[in-house]
Amino acid sequence: MKNLELAKLLRMMALYLEMKDVPFKPQAYERAAYSIESLDEDIENFVKRVGKEGLKTLPGVGESIAEKIIEFLKTGQIKELEELRKEVPVDIETLSSIEGVGPKTIFKLYKALGIKNLEDLEKACREHKIRRLPGFGPQSEEKILKGIEFYKQGGGRHILGFIMPVVESLINYLKENKDIETVVPAGSYRRRKETVGDIDILAISKNPEKVMDYFVAFPEVEHIYAKGPTKTMVRLKIGLDVDLRVVEKESFGAALAYFTGSKDHNIQMRELAIKKGWKLNEYGLFDQNGKKIAGETEEEIYEKLGLQWIPPELRENGGEIQLALQRKLPKLIEYGSLKGDLQVQTNWTDGGNSIEEMVGEAIKIGLKYICITDHTKSLAVTGGLDEEKLLKQMDYIENLNKKYKGKIKILKGAEVNILKDGSLDIKDEILAKLDFVGAAIHTHFNLPKSVQTERIIKAMKNPFVDCIFHPTGRVINKRAPYEVDIDKIIDEAKKTNTILEIDAYPDRLDLKDEHIRKAVEKGVKLVIDSDAHSFLHYQYLDLGVAQARRGWAEEKDILNTLDVESFLKALPKRK
Ligand code: DGT
Ligand code: CA
Ligand code: CA
Ligand code: ZN
């Protein structure tokens, strides 16, 4: 799978072109990168299958980018990019992930101070060299330092949704080996944590040596840390570490439970065993005489301990063991149970596909409704829609609905901007005509906490705002959430009958798990959206379901598990 590597290079192209102030092209490269990383097929196979013309059906990929992709598959690099890198040899990928540091700033810093990487940048900040440059000041210096700190906290954890295709392809590769009986990813990956440190895979085999030879021959392996018959550790080319453990069939369940974790969950489990005078470890559950009483399956371990089986997403020591003892675990929302998607952008603004392309793909994957929510006018960079264009889009959708009757329902919506004072950038009389209105913050991220909170509450009080999109505004590993009193937002959501969104896009996952749990406890209604900017992004809906499960959400908490008629009737403000 070269997809991630290619996406990375395309994104780098976008950054360099932005640095050079080339118009439009950066956005195309960015979109193409999106497309490639969310493609669920190996890009090499894909190109073999559909050729250059097929490549051009991907959002963002035109003639010139298609050629670069083919060049990369042939030569392992993109010549134009190599030249740009020679000209301005900076670690553009890392530097540009620091909040407030864009390609143009990077270029200025390189020219003025020779800053090439994160270390240079931090040093220059600490030596107060940046504040003396024209266009910078003490404030921008502080902001950059803060950004660096946040970046470092990320600590090299990988975003689950982005590494999933690689892990799945590795699992499929392992499954092809005849010596492997069963193979399952465990650890934080199995718990569907939003970021993972490394991947822990378990397998059953009678020929562990052969299995390990086969494992390290996986084409994406870059480095072997250690190789032994029971445990082998490697690093993949995308920088992700993977451990493979081969265990005996009789203890597979015990190993699976142990290596799924989390560590705190395991400690509680072990204590439960100790209370009974037993012992639990990665080999099995043993009674007071040291006799093994369970180990082959996870289910029997939980059962012998008097517990209901606990879904991995709940194993974070958040009270799940106590509830499992009483057989009162929530009945979590199931994967694949979403019938609609309420946040879909199109090429009317910054999406990569037309409304009809988004509709076509939605039908293909079995969605029963989607809501078109293009950005609105004050978000000028996306070409946000004004009242007039919104009305035009509503008419257009009205007509499309005739064409697609019986296949899918297209809802009229918008992702409306919340202005600095909490008012919206679209008039109420127009909002009133939409089926579903999401409001979101895209500017003024740095207001004081109480001001930011009041700003959102004011938007929730608008009778036409059905939902707050990505309520905390974070971008994992890139941008901290804005300061906001989330408990207050949840309380006000309940009071004002406003839905909160779980944005399923891999680096958003906003609300996050612990917020979802609070919202569920308070009886706030939620929706799970892909925030699609391309038809390839619908696949992330299940990542949102994963997050909802980690937040203990049941089907009844998530409104887009309903069919479209019931969904519209259930909209809390419109009842
Ligand atoms: P990660 O990789 O940081 O995203 O998180 P995990 O949960 O995958 O943690 P990892 O890879 O260090 O270990 C995998 C599992 O092994 C972990 O979920 C629980 C188990 N484990 C690791 N170390 C310990 C330990 O010291 N005590 C106990 N009880 N379990 C452990
Ligand atoms: Ca792990
Ligand atoms: Ca590990
Ligand atoms: Zn957008």
Side-chain angles (χ1 to χ4, degrees):
M1 286 283 275
K2 295 208 169 86
N3 301 31
L4 285 190
E5 199 184 336
L6 173 59
K8 200 167 130 174
L9 297 185
L10 294 174
R11 202 157 266 140
M12 244 183 240
M13 275 299 287
L15 291 168
Y16 271 111
L17 294 172
E18 208 180 320
M19 181 186 274
K20 303 230 132 179
D21 233 348
V22 179
F24 307 118
K25 274 188 165 182
Q27 288 85 337
Y29 272 96
E30 180 70 24
R31 248 176 230 166
Y34 258 146
S35 300
I36 303 295
E37 83 194 347
S38 36
L39 195 67
D40 52 9
E41 182 178 351
D42 185 341
I43 183 71
E44 267 180 311
N45 289 339
F46 182 76
V47 172
K48 258 184 222 148
R49 198 166 57 76
V50 301
K52 188 157 112 188
E53 288 313 301
L55 254 181
K56 283 155 75 178
T57 62
L58 295 177
V61 181
E63 178 67 24
S64 121
I65 296 183
E67 273 169 11
K68 298 219 163 46
I69 294 175
I70 290 167
E71 180 194 348
F72 165 77
L73 292 176
K74 271 196 197 129
T75 67
Q77 59 176 25
I78 299 171
K79 210 166 134 225
E80 191 182 335
L81 177 62
E82 293 312 312
E83 278 159 14
L84 287 163
R85 284 163 97 168
K86 248 183 241 153
E87 199 183 316
V88 187
V90 295
D91 180 0
I92 197 164
E93 201 197 356
T94 309
L95 288 173
S96 64
S97 20
I98 308 300
E99 198 188 351
V101 181
K104 297 211 184 77
T105 306
I106 296 173
F107 192 41
K108 276 190 213 157
L109 294 174
Y110 172 70
K111 272 195 306 188
L113 302 169
I115 291 174
K116 287 186 176 173
N117 52 40
L118 196 61
E119 277 164 26
D120 295 348
L121 180 64
E122 188 169 3
K123 193 156 166 269
C125 283
R126 299 215 184 277
E127 291 169 356
H128 299 311
K129 281 187 179 155
I130 297 204
R131 61 175 69 185
R132 280 182 276 188
L133 295 178
F136 294 83
Q139 268 185 340
S140 34
E141 204 173 71
E142 259 160 51
K143 195 172 168 214
I144 292 176
L145 267 180
K146 247 184 156 176
I148 294 176
E149 226 164 84
F150 180 75
Y151 177 83
K152 286 186 170 168
Q153 279 166 12
R157 295 184 64 82
H158 300 262
I159 293 173
L160 176 67
F162 293 148
I163 53 101
M164 254 176 153
V166 182
V167 177
E168 290 309 309
S169 82
L170 170 57
I171 296 292
N172 288 332
Y173 168 85
L174 292 171
K175 278 183 179 160
E176 277 167 25
N177 188 295
K178 299 245 159 26
D179 287 308
I180 297 180
E181 232 173 274
T182 302
V183 52
V184 198
S188 51
Y189 186 84
R190 184 167 177 237
R191 304 196 310 279
R192 293 291 185 260
K193 204 170 150 153
E194 61 192 34
T195 61
V196 297
D198 71 353
I199 303 295
D200 311 273
I201 300 177
L202 288 181
I204 303 175
S205 173
K206 293 199 177 76
N207 277 316
E209 270 102 356
K210 273 191 175 167
V211 168
M212 294 309 189
D213 288 342
Y214 180 76
F215 172 52
V216 300
F218 181 58
E220 291 308 295
V221 169
E222 179 185 68
H223 175 73
I224 303 167
Y225 294 106
K227 183 164 171 271
T230 54
K231 183 179 177 189
T232 293
M233 296 159 71
V234 302
R235 164 161 291 214
L236 302 184
K237 286 176 190 160
I238 57 164
L240 177 67
D241 291 347
V242 183
D243 302 348
L244 173 65
R245 287 183 176 80
V246 174
V247 301
E248 312 250 310
K249 192 171 178 171
E250 305 83 73
S251 56
F252 180 75
L256 185 58
Y258 181 87
F259 290 108
T260 296
S262 64
K263 192 173 158 189
D264 292 338
H265 172 89
N266 285 355
I267 291 170
Q268 295 300 315
M269 290 283 285
R270 205 160 44 211
E271 273 177 12
L272 201 64
I274 290 169
K275 267 191 212 145
K276 293 182 188 288
W278 299 348
K279 194 172 109 188
L280 176 66
N281 58 27
E282 63 265 49
Y283 302 102
L285 178 64
F286 302 87
D287 70 10
Q288 54 277 19
N289 304 316
K291 189 175 155 257
K292 188 164 172 174
I293 51 177
E296 190 167 337
T297 68
E298 248 185 6
E299 283 80 359
E300 63 178 12
I301 292 173
Y302 279 92
E303 194 190 297
K304 284 268 158 54
L305 286 169
L307 295 165
Q308 199 181 346
W309 180 79
I310 302 176
E313 296 91 332
L314 296 185
R315 299 184 197 172
E316 298 289 353
N317 192 29
E320 71 279 7
I321 293 181
Q322 289 75 358
L323 281 189
L325 276 170
Q326 302 163 35
R327 313 216 141 249
K328 280 189 184 153
L329 285 176
K331 198 180 169 319
L332 301 180
I333 174 180
E334 303 272 355
Y335 289 104
S337 62
L338 298 179
K339 297 200 174 78
D341 189 346
L342 283 314
Q343 197 196 150
V344 172
Q345 276 78 211
T346 73
N347 62 5
W348 283 59
T349 57
D350 64 344
N353 292 103
S354 66
I355 297 180
E356 277 209 271
E357 285 166 340
M358 293 309 286
V359 167
E361 180 68 14
I363 295 173
K364 217 160 100 190
I365 63 164
L367 289 175
K368 301 295 180 212
Y369 51 105
I370 59 172
C371 183
I372 304 300
T373 55
D374 277 302
H375 293 285
T376 51
K377 61 186 175 192
S378 66
L379 204 59
V381 285
T382 66
L385 308 183
D386 59 15
E387 278 87 354
E388 199 183 320
K389 278 197 190 144
L390 261 177
L391 285 170
K392 225 168 111 189
Q393 192 185 61
M394 285 185 228
D395 270 349
Y396 178 74
I397 292 176
E398 192 82 30
N399 277 317
L400 269 192
N401 268 323
K402 288 179 199 143
K403 179 168 169 189
Y404 289 98
K405 199 165 183 218
K407 292 199 177 118
I408 193 167
K409 176 83 180 177
I410 311 152
L411 299 177
K412 295 167 249 172
E415 178 176 8
V416 181
N417 286 317
I418 304 176
L419 299 171
K420 191 178 174 193
D421 68 355
S423 63
L424 305 174
D425 71 340
I426 295 291
K427 291 196 198 96
D428 280 0
E429 59 191 88
I430 305 293
L431 298 182
K433 294 180 199 282
L434 294 167
D435 296 312
F436 180 82
V437 175
I441 296 226
H442 294 106
T443 56
H444 300 98
F445 293 113
N446 293 321
L447 301 178
K449 189 170 183 175
S450 61
V451 179
Q452 196 69 282
T453 307
E454 284 311 314
R455 178 186 180 193
I456 298 173
I457 291 174
K458 184 164 169 202
M460 291 198 286
K461 284 183 176 155
N462 181 308
F464 303 105
V465 170
D466 295 292
C467 179
I468 299 293
F469 283 168
H470 45 72
T472 76
R474 71 162 177 174
V475 180
I476 302 176
N477 285 356
K478 215 174 254 177
R479 186 171 79 207
Y482 36 75
E483 297 272 344
V484 67
D485 183 342
I486 192 73
D487 293 309
K488 209 160 167 189
I489 295 291
I490 289 169
D491 285 342
E492 287 292 326
K494 180 70 190 171
K495 266 193 225 154
T496 59
N497 279 322
T498 311
I499 300 166
L500 296 180
E501 181 187 54
I502 301 171
D503 187 313
Y505 201 77
D507 63 5
R508 281 199 180 263
L509 291 173
D510 179 8
L511 295 176
K512 65 173 171 179
D513 44 17
E514 58 196 76
H515 299 154
I516 296 168
R517 192 159 169 199
K518 284 181 176 173
V520 165
E521 274 164 16
K522 292 268 162 85
V524 171
K525 292 298 177 199
L526 303 165
V527 291
I528 298 172
D529 299 334
S530 68
D531 195 356
H533 283 71
S534 143
F535 63 73
L536 298 164
H537 295 159
Y538 290 131
Q539 62 173 309
Y540 295 134
L541 284 169
D542 260 350
L543 204 60
V545 174
Q547 195 75 348
R549 288 167 65 86
R550 289 180 56 84
W552 295 48
E554 304 192 349
E555 196 170 297
K556 66 169 177 25
D557 301 308
I558 311 291
L559 287 182
N560 51 331
T561 55
L562 296 169
D563 60 37
V564 68
E565 287 80 20
S566 320
F567 170 77
L568 291 171
K569 277 189 209 137
L571 287 177
K573 275 190 192 166
R574 302 187 186 229
K575 269 195 217 170

